[in-house]
Every structure is written in C-alpha cells, then in structure tokens.
Amino acid sequence: MASNSKGKHMNDFGALMGMGLGVALISGLIGLLIAVLLGALILLFACKLVVKSDPGYGKAVITMLAVIGAAIVVHIVLGMVLFWLGMLAGLIIFIVDFLVTAWLVQKLMKSPASSEISYGQACLVVVVDWLIWLAIGIVMWVIGMVIGFSFMHGMMR
C-alpha cells in the first residue's frame, strides 16, 4: 500500500474508483455530444424527406437538445408516477415521449422559407426519425452478432 508525505496510507481502490468515475463521466458526455450531433443530422434528413424544407443544422441541434431534455423529464416524472403499471407504464411513456417530441419538432424546426409545420407533419417526421434510428440499431445488432459469433467460432477451434 502506498503512503503520502505524512506517512498515512492512501487507498489505491479509492483512487481507481475516482479515475473510473471520471472516465465514465467524460465518456458519457462525449457520447451525449455524439448522440446530439448525429441525432440532429438524422432529424434534419427526416425533416427534408417529409416536409421538403431545410430548417438548418443549428435548429436541428437545438431541437435535439430540447428533445433529450424533455425525454429525461418525461421518463423521470412518468416513471415515478406510473411505476406500478409495469410494462403498461413503458407504453404510456413511449406515447407521451412521441407526442412531446412531435410538439417540439413542430415548434422548433421552422424553415426560413416556409412557415411552421403542422403537428401531423411533425408526427411523421418523428416516425421517420425513429425508424432511421431503429434501422441503425438493427444494423449495429447484426454487426455485433457477427463479431460475437466469429469470436465464439474462433474459440471452439
């Protein structure tokens, strides 16, 4: 065990825990930054597909930050209120999250050339956005399974 200049023993495990928490915090913030920037690109693409307008990347980033903040609040509040419903609570939270996300897209993703998009169009933008995220998730899952099975196959030899 190491000791400091006063002769007291330092806890190596505590130092490792502090480093681990620091790395987790930094990597979490980097992951959040990547999620916001990539999410803004996907949201902008979905908006161009559905509404045929370009509100700009800056508005998409602001919208993604608002959507993530609203999703955190919705999940915490409804999770605490509806926890006793089990899986039904998850469905209710999903629906409320969808409606709030569509409302934020309607209010924040205004194109300079056109006026505010309708709530129905915003709902369609969110559906397209979430389907793109689902497709990305499926592709990542398939890649992970292929890598996992190749490791398993290599270990059996």
Side-chain angles (χ1 to χ4, degrees), residues 19-113:
M19 285 176 40
L21 289 174
V23 168
L25 179 65
I26 297 296
S27 60
L29 290 175
I30 290 171
L32 181 64
L33 177 69
I34 291 170
V36 167
L37 296 177
L38 181 62
L41 280 175
I42 293 171
L43 181 63
L44 193 60
F45 178 70
C47 194
K48 285 181 183 179
L49 279 177
V50 174
V51 186
K52 309 279 191 276
S53 70
D54 185 10
Y57 187 67
K59 287 186 180 183
V61 169
I62 291 170
T63 304
M64 279 307 300
L65 288 170
V67 163
I68 290 173
I72 290 170
V73 170
V74 165
H75 285 239
I76 289 174
V77 171
L78 289 181
M80 287 191 303
V81 172
L82 302 174
F83 71 94
W84 55 276
L85 289 175
M87 287 181 64
L88 183 60
L91 178 64
I92 293 170
I93 290 171
F94 178 78
I95 292 169
V96 171
D97 190 30
F98 175 81
L99 296 174
V100 169
T101 301
W103 179 76
L104 286 170
V105 166
Q106 177 196 13
K107 295 299 179 190
L108 298 176
M109 293 291 287
K110 297 177 185 176
S111 174

Side-chain angles (χ1 to χ4, degrees), residues 144-157:
M145 293 301 286
V146 167
I147 291 171
F149 282 132
S150 67
F151 280 134
M152 285 177 44
H153 180 71
M155 289 174 58
M156 291 183 176
R157 288 186 168 199

